[in-house]
Amino acid sequence: MDMKYNRAIIYSTKPLSGKFYYRDIFRLLPSKRRYRNSQFPIKLQYSVKNPSANYPLDMKILKDRRDLEVLEKIHLLSLFSQFYFYDLGRKYMFIKKFSSMNLKDVPRGSIRFYQDLTLNDLSVIEIIFPEQIEEFLDKYYTLESDEKNVFRKAMYLFYIGIKLKNKHPSISFLCLISSIETLAQFDNKEQNKKVKESCSQCHSLETSSWKCKECGNPIWGIGTKFKKFILKYAYMNKQTSSNNKFINKLYSTRSKISHFGAFLDSDLFWDDRQFTVNWHESFLHKDLIAVTRLCLINWLILLGRNS
């Protein structure tokens, strides 16, 4: 297969001070800011494998393919690191080959909070990648097609949850919950096959792998699957009262938003009451980001293992 190379400018919430090379798939290189208060630009170089070197590719199709390649990279980087990466949709360029620069590598380690567009932690001065980022990327690029498809959906929902956190916090909250639910459904696909409806109109069930704890009737078990998934991938199946209380609060908040329109207080900008920050909701949202990120990464790493 013939290899083509493209270059794009992406951005992040902190500057990239060094280089990051990942196999023959993509490279990140620092770029200078044009203005003092502008975004932090990063040079992204990436490879695209064409199905046939002799086939005259339609430019519209090729542009769409390049758009998808860039989106995939910023979604991966925004999940695997603790920084938000984004694309302003500017012109992409073809290049003959990857650049090689005599630069230090991007520093490795961890930081306390996820750095998004709403948080400017002055103690964090540059992008830091986790020690295992190559392992994360290796796992992603070797996923089977059905696994990669569902992981991309979950990763996309996580990314949108980060993107909308400031302007649309309630929708952001639902996206993060849905990201977890997407993988939870996939994890339980064999059990889901055992669900049989007794009525196609009201969707009451005849059989199911999940039962109501009170009456014993079969249920869809959506909440049960969600809670068990977080316990498994965020807490390694360690059930404590604080873990259970937190997970239940996440799900009850999700249900209130999606079923009753009980938005987060930070969304009620039209409310006549004097606005005050609901710190409980704010920290719940922040903790949800951390848990969602942890669940997705651990699911990826543990996939195929006996855990």
Side-chain angles (χ1 to χ4, degrees):
M1 299 177 73
D2 185 40
M3 191 78 76
K4 301 292 184 182
Y5 299 93
N6 294 324
R7 185 188 73 182
I9 298 295
I10 62 175
Y11 299 85
S12 188
T13 47
K14 295 291 180 179
L16 187 82
S17 64
K19 68 179 187 297
F20 178 74
Y21 297 170
Y22 177 66
R23 303 192 183 280
D24 62 346
I25 297 178
F26 71 89
R27 293 186 175 187
L28 300 175
L29 299 167
S31 183
K32 292 183 179 180
R33 298 168 78 184
R34 289 191 175 185
Y35 310 103
R36 184 177 179 180
N37 295 323
S38 64
Q39 303 93 344
F40 294 104
I42 299 168
K43 295 177 184 176
L44 167 66
Q45 298 179 351
Y46 57 98
S47 58
V48 179
K49 294 179 181 179
N50 294 325
S52 172
N54 299 319
Y55 186 79
L57 292 172
D58 180 87
M59 290 305 295
K60 176 64 166 60
I61 296 175
L62 188 58
K63 181 182 183 302
D64 291 343
R65 175 67 184 275
R66 283 155 51 202
D67 289 348
L68 292 175
E69 293 285 347
V70 172
L71 285 174
E72 179 186 53
K73 307 303 182 290
I74 63 176
H75 290 176
L76 288 167
L77 292 168
S78 296
L79 175 64
F80 293 156
S81 76
Q82 290 173 270
F83 299 85
Y84 175 63
F85 292 79
Y86 53 102
D87 175 28
L88 297 181
R90 294 177 178 171
K91 185 178 180 182
Y92 306 145
M93 296 179 62
F94 294 106
I95 55 177
K96 292 182 179 180
K97 61 180 181 179
F98 281 147
S99 300
S100 294
M101 300 183 70
N102 186 23
L103 296 169
K104 65 177 182 178
D105 292 330
V106 174
R108 303 300 177 94
S110 62
I111 58 176
R112 187 176 180 187
F113 296 118
Y114 191 96
Q115 303 295 300
D116 59 25
L117 291 174
T118 66
L119 175 64
N120 183 21
D121 189 343
L122 298 180
S123 67
V124 180
I125 60 175
E126 62 184 359
I127 290 172
I128 300 170
F129 282 164
E131 296 287 350
Q132 313 92 331
I133 189 168
E134 285 88 358
E135 180 186 356
F136 299 161
L137 290 166
D138 285 346
K139 286 288 291 187
Y140 172 76
Y141 281 105
T142 55
L143 289 175
E144 299 292 338
S145 59
D146 59 335
E147 297 166 346
K148 183 175 285 188
N149 184 44
V150 73
F151 189 76
R152 280 174 170 169
K153 292 177 181 178
M155 184 169 59
Y156 169 74
L157 286 164
F158 173 81
Y159 184 82
I160 296 301
I162 298 297
K163 183 177 182 179
L164 297 180
K165 178 173 173 284
N166 186 32
K167 293 185 177 180
H168 307 287
S170 296
I171 298 176
S172 165
F173 198 97
L174 290 180
C175 284
L176 294 167
I177 295 290
S178 295
S179 176
I180 295 173
E181 288 181 318
T182 298
L183 291 185
Q185 288 293 338
F186 185 83
D187 244 23
N188 289 276
K189 58 184 178 181
E190 293 303 318
Q191 291 90 331
N192 291 339
K193 293 177 182 178
K194 300 175 183 178
V195 174
K196 183 178 179 181
E197 292 184 355
S198 58
C199 178
S200 60
Q201 296 300 313
C202 69
H203 303 292
S204 58
L205 299 181
E206 180 179 330
T207 59
S208 172
S209 298
W210 300 274
K211 308 289 183 182
C212 174
K213 292 181 180 180
E214 296 295 326
C215 67
N217 287 332
I219 58 174
W220 289 98
I222 296 173
T224 301
K225 287 180 279 188
F226 172 82
K227 294 170 185 177
K228 286 186 175 180
F229 187 90
I230 294 183
L231 275 174
K232 179 178 180 180
Y233 292 105
Y235 299 108
M236 300 296 112
N237 287 323
K238 293 180 181 178
Q239 289 212 39
T240 66
S241 58
S242 60
N243 291 346
N244 289 330
K245 182 179 179 181
F246 172 69
I247 296 170
N248 288 333
K249 184 61 178 177
L250 288 179
Y251 201 76
S252 64
T253 303
R254 166 259 193 208
S255 298
K256 289 175 183 176
I257 296 172
S258 59
H259 298 309
F260 302 104
F263 295 148
L264 300 178
D265 284 354
S266 48
D267 251 331
L268 300 177
F269 51 85
W270 60 80
D271 200 309
D272 292 334
R273 296 172 298 174
Q274 183 177 357
F275 178 78
T276 56
V277 176
N278 185 327
W279 290 110
H280 177 76
E281 282 187 354
S282 178
F283 280 101
L284 184 70
H285 202 165
K286 175 184 70 66
D287 291 340
L288 174 57
I289 292 173
V291 163
T292 306
R293 179 172 174 265
L294 189 60
C295 281
L296 267 61
I297 292 176
N298 280 340
W299 181 88
L300 181 68
I301 296 302
L302 296 173
L303 190 65
R305 298 183 187 176
N306 293 321
S307 54

